[in-house]
Amino acid sequence: MCDLMDYLAGNVQLVIAIFENKLICHDSGNIIIIDGTSVIEIPDVVSIKYYQLMATNSYLLAIGEKQLQLLSLENASESKFISFASPCYCVGADIFEEQDKIHISLLLHNDWEEIMRVEEYAFTFDELHEDVVL
């Protein structure tokens, strides 16, 4: 445990989130995901304005009000975008993997109708197009 704390003290500037026993941190150019004793470090290639990061064993999800960015942890340059059609925006999300599928639950708010709704999606990374609008 001391080694992990030393690593954090020396390398991490900002802790973004703790999600499903994963500590997600951000330093000056990398995103660091710590899961138990393993450390995954990927370049920060998130290109959207986000308010939360979540990670599974294989993917990183950046959550913004107007857009999501899903990145493969095996190849951080591979990412897919999910955008929301106006007047909807995302106020919360959840992600998990099950049987080779990515499951994303979204809490969406609609300004025009003043309602919130939950939408759930299941897909493989390859099935998802480069830029999807919901």
Side-chain angles (χ1 to χ4, degrees):
M1 187 64 163
C2 279
D3 291 338
L4 180 58
M5 295 309 283
D6 290 342
Y7 179 84
L8 289 173
N11 293 300
V12 175
Q13 294 176 358
L14 176 64
V15 173
I16 300 288
I18 298 174
F19 178 72
E20 300 219 352
N21 298 322
K22 291 174 177 43
L23 179 66
I24 303 171
C25 309
H26 188 266
D27 69 7
S28 59
N30 295 305
I31 294 173
I32 301 164
I33 302 166
I34 301 168
D35 182 6
T37 58
S38 66
V39 176
I40 299 169
E41 192 168 344
I42 62 169
D44 183 1
V45 292
V46 176
S47 60
I48 67 168
K49 184 177 179 182
Y50 64 89
Y51 62 84
Q52 188 174 9
L53 293 175
M54 296 180 163
T56 66
N57 291 332
S58 305
Y59 301 98
L60 177 75
L61 180 67
I63 303 164
E65 285 185 359
K66 297 180 181 185
Q67 202 172 32
L68 304 175
Q69 185 174 355
L70 182 66
L71 292 102
S72 168
L73 292 179
E74 292 177 10
N75 182 0
S77 64
E78 274 191 87
S79 65
K80 310 282 178 125
F81 296 91
I82 301 170
S83 302
F84 306 107
S86 181
C88 289
Y89 60 92
C90 185
V91 294
D94 192 17
I95 183 173
F96 67 94
E97 288 178 81
E98 184 176 81
Q99 297 176 351
D100 297 328
K101 292 231 181 223
I102 304 164
H103 296 260
I104 295 179
S105 299
L106 303 172
L107 180 58
L108 300 176
H109 185 270
N110 182 321
D111 274 342
W112 290 351
E113 298 172 5
E114 302 256 344
I115 60 169
M116 293 178 88
R117 69 180 187 272
V118 174
E119 293 185 4
E120 297 183 13
Y121 301 91
F123 49 85
T124 65
F125 190 77
D126 293 334
E127 289 175 336
L128 191 62
H129 296 283
E130 293 292 319
D131 197 356
V132 174
V133 177
L134 301 179

